[in-house]
Amino acid sequence: MNNNKRAELLSPAGDMESLISALDYGADAVYLAGKNFGMRAGAKNFTADELVTAVQIAHERGAKVYITCNTVPLNGELDTFPEFISAAQKAGIDAVIAADIGIIAMIKEYAPGLEIHASTQTGVVNYRTAVELYKMGVKRVVLAREVSLENIKVIRKNIPDDMEIEVFVHGAMCVSFSGRCLISEYLTGRDANHGECAQPCRWGYYLMEETRPGEFFQVFEDKGGSYILNSRDMCMIEHLDDLLDAGVYSFKIEGRAKSAYYTALTTNAYRTALDSVLKGEQPPQWVIEEVNKISHRPYCTGFFYGHPNEGSGSQNPNEITNGGQYFSSSSYIREYDFVATVDNCENGMMYLTTRNYFTLSDELEILAPEREPIKFTPEKMFDENGEEIDTARHAMRKISIPTDIVVPAHSFLRKKIDKQ
């Protein structure tokens, strides 16, 4: 765990398994949601009882827990909020991430002991807005993703010393300003501002001329079609020093709707990178390579270095560019599969729960906390009955592998995907 007060690594927790992964792999804090008022309706999220357990686990590990109440609620939802936020305060939550001014006022009224963070959905891009939020009781601003490094410096210079700045450093980006999007609701009836986005920005589109109903014409950018609203994913793993110098305190990883493996990998990489920067060193090369081992869209550096169109428009999916839009497809780059979790290691045996298909001939790696991934070539595998096997075929089966390698429980096993 990072004890340096200059920075915080903040990881997503869409469920209890992801929360454990975030803590195991070095998060200083996690952000999660209850069953209402959070912007990721597709995540499992936490019941009231689970929230109590999550806070206890995190606090025992020295980590903080922030709850998201960052939807834009309608009148009919407000009556349930006082009970919801009072229960969150009773559970021991450290802070609330909120976007709506009315919700911020209700937090102060019904849960006055809770610290308030202004969500990226608030759209803070200047210091005057941050100062006014501070007057309302906001301790931290999660800046809009559209803010550049130069403007972060200006904001930092002009806000109170005890007000913190948080930014997203990794994960999916939205084509709309700070996620305030109406496309999904218009096309599908699923309200993005209530956490139900259908992601129509990732779709390929056709054109229909009004006098030719039923005739669809493809909009071509190249032979792959045109994904005119599709954005790259953000990756700032190589630029944390610039963010730190600009005055950023909290470094946030996007992904509450993603897997525990995603949380573990990104947290492990950014933990190592941030610790290196805090010591005045560059992140090791394996950390830079690590973020390419999770399913992702092509990476970019978002708006931090100016408007994305001012940077490289490279279509190379493995190049991190300043160009944010990506036209080739909406599919993910995937070079590795997560295949098993480690239950424990003892007496020369590694005990696993399988998640995906793999064989003894696959190139394997073990992802364990606070260390470089371990290349791993098992010679034998045994099923739960002790019978020797050469293939793990089914998810959630118990198998064992003889090995001298010892890693903690909740480590992950992955395989390199054969592209042939």
Side-chain angles (χ1 to χ4, degrees):
M1 199 69 63
N2 167 44
N3 293 315
N4 193 311
K5 299 300 183 183
R6 293 174 58 202
E8 170 190 87
L9 180 62
L10 178 56
S11 295
D15 57 19
M16 195 66 75
E17 186 182 13
S18 292
L19 180 136
I20 297 299
S21 284
L23 299 176
D24 283 347
Y25 286 81
D28 298 308
V30 296
Y31 64 106
L32 48 73
K35 292 296 185 180
N36 299 303
F37 301 105
M39 282 293 290
R40 287 294 182 271
K44 290 182 181 179
N45 297 320
F46 290 75
T47 66
D49 289 341
E50 288 171 339
L51 191 58
V52 172
T53 302
V55 171
Q56 290 175 344
I57 292 171
H59 286 180
E60 287 171 0
R61 304 279 292 272
K64 293 183 177 182
V65 179
Y66 309 145
I67 191 168
T68 60
C69 297
N70 54 348
T71 58
V72 182
L74 302 174
N75 290 320
E77 300 170 81
L78 294 180
D79 289 345
T80 63
F81 188 71
E83 182 179 358
F84 177 89
I85 199 62
S86 296
Q89 179 175 247
K90 187 176 180 180
I93 290 293
D94 296 283
V96 188
I97 304 171
D100 183 79
I101 292 175
I103 289 294
I104 290 173
M106 292 176 78
I107 294 167
K108 292 170 65 179
E109 181 177 356
Y110 296 102
L114 286 179
E115 187 173 292
I116 302 172
H117 299 173
S119 168
T120 189
Q121 304 293 123
T122 312
V124 178
V125 297
N126 64 68
Y127 66 83
R128 186 57 189 263
T129 303
V131 168
E132 292 304 316
L133 287 166
Y134 182 82
K135 292 176 183 178
M136 294 174 61
V138 171
K139 168 72 173 178
R140 179 186 297 186
V141 281
V142 188
L143 296 181
R145 286 180 174 90
E146 294 77 16
V147 180
S148 69
L149 274 169
E150 291 306 310
N151 275 314
I152 293 174
K153 293 176 184 177
V154 174
I155 292 169
R156 178 66 273 168
K157 182 179 178 181
N158 289 280
I159 62 176
D161 290 344
D162 62 339
M163 191 178 206
E164 298 166 350
I165 291 176
E166 177 179 307
V167 300
F168 281 91
V169 294
H170 192 92
M173 297 201 302
C174 181
V175 70
S176 294
F177 180 80
S178 293
R180 292 283 188 123
C181 184
L182 297 174
I183 303 173
S184 176
E185 185 173 23
Y186 178 76
L187 292 179
T188 71
R190 290 170 53 180
D191 186 356
N193 295 307
H194 279 76
E196 299 174 347
C197 184
Q199 296 197 338
C201 55
R202 310 295 182 187
W203 302 350
Y205 286 89
Y206 283 76
L207 193 65
M208 185 175 69
E209 201 273 329
E210 63 179 348
T211 65
R212 295 172 174 80
E215 294 185 36
F216 296 94
F217 304 92
Q218 189 168 5
V219 182
F220 284 101
E221 177 70 22
D222 56 28
K223 64 181 180 180
S226 182
Y227 294 78
I228 55 177
L229 302 174
N230 190 32
S231 62
R232 290 175 175 252
D233 284 355
M234 180 187 291
C235 179
M236 289 291 288
I237 193 82
E238 297 182 70
H239 306 284
L240 302 185
D241 51 349
D242 288 345
L243 293 169
L244 196 67
D245 291 342
V248 171
Y249 172 73
S250 184
F251 295 72
K252 188 173 193 174
I253 298 168
E254 183 273 339
R256 279 190 293 122
K258 296 181 180 177
S259 68
Y261 169 63
Y262 167 92
T263 299
L265 187 154
T266 52
T267 301
N268 197 48
Y270 278 87
R271 172 79 280 150
T272 305
L274 186 55
D275 286 348
S276 296
V277 169
L278 289 169
K279 292 186 290 186
E281 303 171 358
Q282 289 299 310
Q285 185 59 36
W286 71 263
V287 170
I288 311 303
E289 296 168 355
E290 191 69 3
V291 292
N292 289 313
K293 294 180 179 180
I294 191 75
S295 293
H296 64 280
R297 299 179 187 92
Y299 286 133
C300 73
T301 56
F303 291 81
F304 286 118
Y305 297 98
H307 194 284
N309 288 341
E310 296 171 4
S312 166
S314 170
Q315 296 296 291
N316 178 358
N318 293 316
E319 179 185 350
I320 301 178
T321 77
N322 192 42
Q325 198 166 16
Y326 188 66
F327 297 102
S328 293
S329 77
S330 60
S331 60
Y332 284 85
I333 301 166
R334 214 168 117 215
E335 298 180 351
Y336 284 78
D337 268 343
F338 157 45
V339 296
T341 54
V342 176
D343 298 326
N344 67 300
C345 295
E346 59 182 16
N347 301 323
M349 195 73 74
M350 182 182 293
Y351 296 93
L352 306 169
T353 299
T354 61
R355 296 299 181 93
N356 281 300
Y357 174 95
F358 70 100
T359 73
L360 286 176
S361 61
D362 285 318
E363 179 182 323
L364 302 176
E365 286 185 354
I366 302 172
L367 176 66
E370 300 180 0
R371 62 185 297 180
E372 185 174 353
I374 305 164
K375 294 190 182 301
F376 182 51
T377 307
E379 296 180 359
K380 294 181 179 180
M381 290 194 296
F382 300 93
D383 66 16
E384 54 198 357
N385 298 316
E387 299 290 331
E388 189 169 345
I389 57 175
D390 60 11
T391 302
R393 298 186 181 279
H394 305 290
M396 305 310 293
R397 297 290 176 85
K398 300 294 184 180
I399 67 168
S400 55
I401 296 176
T403 178
D404 293 331
I405 297 173
V406 177
V407 293
H410 309 136
S411 296
F412 295 85
L413 202 67
R414 64 189 176 206
K415 72 173 182 180
K416 182 76 179 285
I417 297 174
D418 187 356
K419 298 292 185 178
Q420 296 182 351

